Amino acid sequence: MASFFSSWIWSERFWLPENVSWSDLEHPPPGVEYPRLEHLLLAFPLAVGVLLLRLLFERLIAKPCSRILQIQAGVPRRAQPNTVLERLYQSKSFPDERQLAGLSKQLDWDERKIERWFRVRRNQDKPGLQRKFCESMWRFTFYLVICIYAMNHLWVSPWMWDLRKCWHNYPFQPLSPQQYNYYVAELAFYWSLMVSQFTDVKRKDYIMMFVHHLATILLITFSYTNNMLRAGTLVMCVHDTSDIFLEAAKLANYAKYQRLCDGLFVLFSFSFFLTRLVIFPFWIVYSVLFDSWEIMGPYRAWWLLNGLLLVLQTLHIIWFYLISRIAVKAIFKGKKRWFEFPLSLSPFCSRSSSTLLAF
């Protein structure tokens, strides 16, 4: 039963091009290594190591940096203890008018006083700037280091400059140590994000980020198993690039460096548009869709992988719409004169915890 189930999941007709079998990939020429699914098992213990490393980084590096920048953890004003209101708050933090009227009669409180209690109680649960700063500094450090590592490898790779070479002699393309390290590091990081997402600061785009992380993990796993490493490394590098500027803008915002935050937001917006709405769809996705079709032809897993890429592209469009909307509000509401735009994005930075800086 187990062998039947395994053979059904890893069907050669689904995962591999025509006339290619798993046995062909299990016996590479001497001195050559092909990707195998069991290689990625290292990502699970490594993800635990990433979580532990993050705890040490935030405690030993990020938190001292926040103190140097005078970012305090902050002690929010505490709501007056009240058993009745606290019980309702645990199930509904925004009571409706009917509930407010009922509480007013029960407690002999004015409705405004009850609304004020709930507002203070909600603020009490909000994380402090120091915690947000530590989270962003960890992500900024990872994206910066992994992007430098990826560019150091890809810059000398011929398929970065000619994407058709991603499909030459596919799937019999040797696995390099740099590709393996990059894949395992990214997969471990995103598994750690899937776990830490339940304890990190909650954002308004929580569901979208969950879908994004899940699609990313599936893409990394499937592309490694299928030996689409050349296209896969390009996809990951494109995504990491704009994230560097995003996390840097968040750090500047939390540290109250307003002009630096504004400038980094401009760089983030430009890099996001260039990498995720130009390079990703018109170069990488185009090559995966059309160059691969022309050179090797489609097969069943090919449709799945392209579908996941299009899911990511849909999320990119939604996010850029949100970015553009915030930028437009900043231009027309943040300053009266449009020509003051270069450093007029303070509304964006002041709302970072609940809108775009949540990405």
Side-chain angles (χ1 to χ4, degrees):
M1 183 67 180
S3 60
F4 171 79
F5 188 69
S6 176
S7 62
W8 178 75
I9 292 179
W10 300 109
S11 169
E12 293 174 349
R13 293 182 58 190
F14 181 84
W15 289 105
L16 298 175
E18 192 174 354
N19 299 322
V20 178
S21 66
W22 292 119
S23 59
D24 295 332
L25 298 175
E26 290 175 357
H27 302 91
V32 174
E33 182 75 18
Y34 293 144
R36 302 179 66 174
L37 180 62
E38 52 263 31
H39 293 168
L40 296 180
L41 294 177
L42 179 61
F44 293 104
L46 190 58
V48 177
V50 169
L51 289 171
L52 295 176
L53 179 62
R54 173 182 171 175
L55 292 175
L56 291 174
F57 178 88
E58 291 184 356
R59 177 169 297 185
L60 302 178
I61 299 178
K63 191 168 289 186
C65 288
S66 69
R67 294 195 186 105
I68 293 174
L69 295 170
Q70 299 181 345
I71 302 173
Q72 303 300 325
V75 180
R77 176 187 171 190
R78 304 193 68 82
Q80 176 184 344
N82 188 293
T83 305
V84 175
L85 297 180
E86 183 65 30
R87 188 183 303 115
L88 177 60
Y89 176 81
Q90 295 302 324
S91 59
K92 190 173 184 180
S93 58
F94 287 88
D96 54 36
E97 293 183 2
R98 183 181 59 82
Q99 290 171 321
L100 287 173
L103 290 169
S104 178
K105 293 180 180 179
Q106 181 180 356
L107 299 174
D108 196 22
W109 281 17
D110 183 77
E111 289 189 15
R112 286 183 176 272
K113 183 177 180 180
I114 297 174
E115 290 177 336
R116 187 162 53 249
W117 187 95
F118 275 92
R119 183 170 61 252
V120 172
R121 185 63 182 84
R122 288 192 298 270
N123 291 334
Q124 185 178 317
D125 283 347
K126 288 183 178 179
L129 285 182
Q130 188 179 83
R131 181 183 171 188
K132 295 179 182 179
F133 179 89
C134 292
E135 286 185 12
S136 292
M137 190 170 182
W138 163 249
R139 291 192 177 97
F140 169 78
T141 303
F142 175 83
Y143 289 133
L144 180 63
V145 171
I146 202 69
C147 192
I148 292 174
Y149 181 86
M151 287 302 300
N152 184 59
H153 163 63
L154 291 173
W155 196 263
V156 296
S157 301
W159 57 84
M160 179 173 179
W161 312 107
D162 182 4
L163 269 65
R164 292 179 62 86
K165 292 185 178 179
C166 290
W167 315 110
H168 289 173
N169 197 34
Y170 176 84
F172 303 105
Q173 298 170 345
L175 169 68
S176 69
Q178 294 85 357
Q179 288 173 323
Y180 176 72
N181 294 338
Y182 189 26
Y183 256 77
V184 171
E186 287 276 6
L187 186 58
F189 178 72
Y190 277 101
W191 271 121
S192 72
L193 287 183
M194 285 287 286
V195 175
S196 64
Q197 190 175 18
F198 297 101
T199 58
D200 285 345
V201 177
K202 290 294 185 293
R203 317 290 188 182
K204 285 189 175 181
D205 65 337
Y206 174 85
I207 299 299
M208 282 196 298
M209 287 305 299
F210 183 85
V211 174
H212 176 272
H213 295 340
L214 182 61
T216 301
I217 288 172
L218 292 175
L219 272 171
I220 291 174
T221 303
F222 292 161
S223 63
Y224 188 90
T225 304
N226 267 32
N227 200 11
M228 288 188 175
L229 304 183
R230 297 181 179 182
T233 51
L234 293 173
V235 171
M236 291 189 295
C237 187
V238 160
H239 282 74
D240 291 339
T241 302
S242 60
D243 288 335
I244 296 173
F245 298 107
L246 172 63
E247 299 301 334
K250 292 161 77 172
L251 292 174
N253 174 55
Y254 300 146
K256 307 301 182 184
Y257 289 108
Q258 199 64 57
R259 286 180 173 268
L260 179 60
C261 174
D262 295 342
L264 288 169
F265 172 58
V266 173
L267 288 175
F268 162 67
S269 301
F270 175 76
S271 64
F272 189 99
F273 176 80
L274 180 63
T275 58
R276 302 198 187 194
L277 295 184
V278 178
I279 295 176
F280 181 70
F282 294 108
W283 270 269
I284 299 177
V285 175
Y286 178 89
S287 180
V288 177
L289 279 171
F290 299 106
D291 291 342
S292 64
W293 182 299
E294 178 185 342
I295 294 173
M296 66 182 189
Y299 53 100
R300 295 181 182 180
W302 180 92
W303 295 98
L304 173 63
L305 292 168
N306 278 288
L308 290 172
L309 288 177
L310 293 176
V311 168
L312 285 182
Q313 184 57 34
T314 302
L315 292 174
H316 296 164
I317 295 171
I318 295 173
W319 282 329
F320 191 74
Y321 164 75
L322 296 175
I323 294 170
S324 302
R325 190 172 66 176
I326 292 295
V328 168
K329 287 183 179 179
I331 294 171
F332 292 103
K333 296 182 180 180
K335 299 275 187 176
K336 291 184 179 180
R337 293 177 294 177
W338 66 269
F339 52 82
E340 294 179 358
F341 166 73
L343 292 173
S344 64
L345 294 168
S346 56
F348 158 78
C349 293
S350 64
R351 299 174 58 192
S352 62
S353 64
S354 61
T355 52
L356 297 179
L357 287 182
F359 298 156

